[in-house]
């Protein structure tokens, strides 16, 4: 089982002096020195970075701000009027809908406990909260990113391609989850910065690649 507090993105979000920071490194003192060194490096898009450009660098920050602003839309109440749905038909409908909105490949799997984080850790407001919400099925989708831009890493074009991918994925996930809830069933969009699941594990069990 995986605790999201141990994920590198979560650790980099810890602020020195905060209760979460103190508690985490009290439990994991062997990680503190290396994490502090990484945390001291220039942030992505900052003026101290070698790839900084006044016009281009803010695009990546803007995309991450956009993703952050819609994080709260990942969950919602379902319609009290539940539609009767045949599972096989519903599966094909959701796969088709994901493809229509841009997914290159779509899979569905039955969810397992090991697909979920044990505790949340990405953001200080819910740092350490146990992950209790579970769903019976998971819908996973993927699409190809621009290889020529990814190969530019660690320069700016790679970051643009990455944030575009996060945005595309979040929009598809929003459409699916809103639609499922409108039909009267619970659904949650696991998107950048707001996961309860370990996405690669779910994807593998849904038949999308292997680890």
């Amino acid at each position: 089982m995986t605790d999201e507090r141990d994920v590198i993105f979560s650790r980099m979000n810890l602020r020195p002096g905060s209760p979460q920071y103190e508690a985490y490194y009290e439990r994991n003192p062997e990680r503190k020195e290396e994490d502090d060194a990484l945390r001291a490096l220039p942030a992505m898009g900052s003026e101290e970075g070698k790839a900084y450009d006044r016009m281009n660098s803010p695009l990546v920050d803007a995309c991450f701000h956009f993703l952050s602003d819609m994080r709260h839309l990942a969950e919602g109440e379902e319609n009290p009027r539940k539609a009767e749905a045949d599972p096989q038909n519903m599966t094909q409908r959701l796969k088709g809908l994901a493809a229509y909105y841009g997914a290159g490949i779509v899979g569905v799997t039955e969810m397992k406990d090991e697909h979920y984080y044990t505790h949340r850790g990405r953001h200080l407001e819910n740092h350490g909260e146990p992950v209790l919400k579970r769903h019976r099925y998971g819908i996973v989708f993927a699409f190809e990113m621009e290889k020529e831009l990814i190969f530019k890493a660690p320069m700016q074009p790679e970051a643009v391609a990455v944030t575009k991918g996060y945005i595309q994925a979040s929009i598809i996930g929003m459409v699916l989850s809103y639609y499922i809830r409108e039909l009267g069933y619970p659904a949650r969009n696991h998107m950048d910065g707001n996961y309860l699941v370990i996405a690669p594990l779910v994807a593998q069990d849904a038949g999308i690649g292997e680890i």
Side-chain angles (χ1 to χ4, degrees):
M1 303 296 282
T2 304
D3 189 327
E4 193 186 27
R5 289 173 292 185
D6 293 329
V7 175
I8 190 65
F9 295 114
S10 300
R11 285 150 51 194
M12 291 302 101
N13 271 356
L14 291 172
R15 294 291 169 259
S18 68
Q20 296 89 346
Y21 175 96
E22 300 297 340
Y24 184 80
Y25 291 111
E26 185 176 337
R27 294 194 309 273
N28 303 277
E30 73 284 357
R31 290 179 170 156
K32 186 176 185 301
E33 183 178 355
E34 182 179 8
D35 285 2
D36 282 344
L38 289 172
R39 207 177 281 108
L41 293 172
M44 181 187 296
S46 72
E47 294 186 34
E48 293 78 21
K50 291 182 179 180
Y52 177 76
D53 179 272
R54 182 64 186 93
M55 292 303 295
N56 294 328
S57 295
L59 174 60
V60 174
D61 286 339
C63 290
F64 279 123
H65 286 155
F66 171 57
L67 288 163
S68 179
D69 285 346
M70 66 175 178
R71 236 180 22 230
H72 70 284
L73 300 174
E75 300 184 41
E77 296 297 321
E78 58 263 30
N79 190 330
R81 293 179 61 248
K82 184 174 291 187
E84 293 299 324
D86 170 74
Q88 187 171 358
N89 176 270
M90 192 65 186
T91 299
Q92 294 308 311
R93 180 182 293 268
L94 291 170
K95 284 185 173 182
L97 188 61
Y100 177 71
Y101 276 89
I105 186 170
V106 190
V108 176
T109 188
E110 201 160 352
M111 296 297 289
K112 305 172 185 174
D113 286 344
E114 55 263 34
H115 289 151
Y116 289 89
Y117 288 114
T118 59
H119 296 79
R120 303 190 72 173
R122 188 69 179 269
H123 302 287
L124 297 184
E125 63 265 25
N126 49 37
H127 194 270
E129 287 183 5
V131 175
L132 303 175
K133 184 171 287 187
R134 299 282 196 273
H135 289 114
R136 186 175 176 185
Y137 299 104
I139 305 165
V140 189
F141 49 86
F143 45 83
E144 187 175 10
M145 299 171 73
E146 292 91 347
K147 184 168 62 176
E148 66 277 9
L149 298 185
I150 295 298
F151 282 179
K152 302 273 186 193
M155 305 307 286
Q156 177 81 10
E158 181 266 350
V160 172
V162 168
T163 52
K164 177 187 175 186
Y166 280 137
I167 289 173
Q168 285 180 306
S170 66
I171 295 298
I172 296 171
M174 287 296 186
V175 171
L176 293 177
S177 57
Y178 268 71
Y179 175 53
I180 293 168
R181 292 198 298 264
E182 194 62 33
L183 292 176
Y185 296 89
R188 185 188 200 280
N189 181 23
H190 300 271
M191 55 173 284
D192 174 63
N194 192 9
Y195 298 99
L196 300 184
V197 300
I198 306 160
L201 296 183
V202 188
Q204 178 175 247
D205 285 350
I208 299 178
E210 58 186 76
I211 300 171

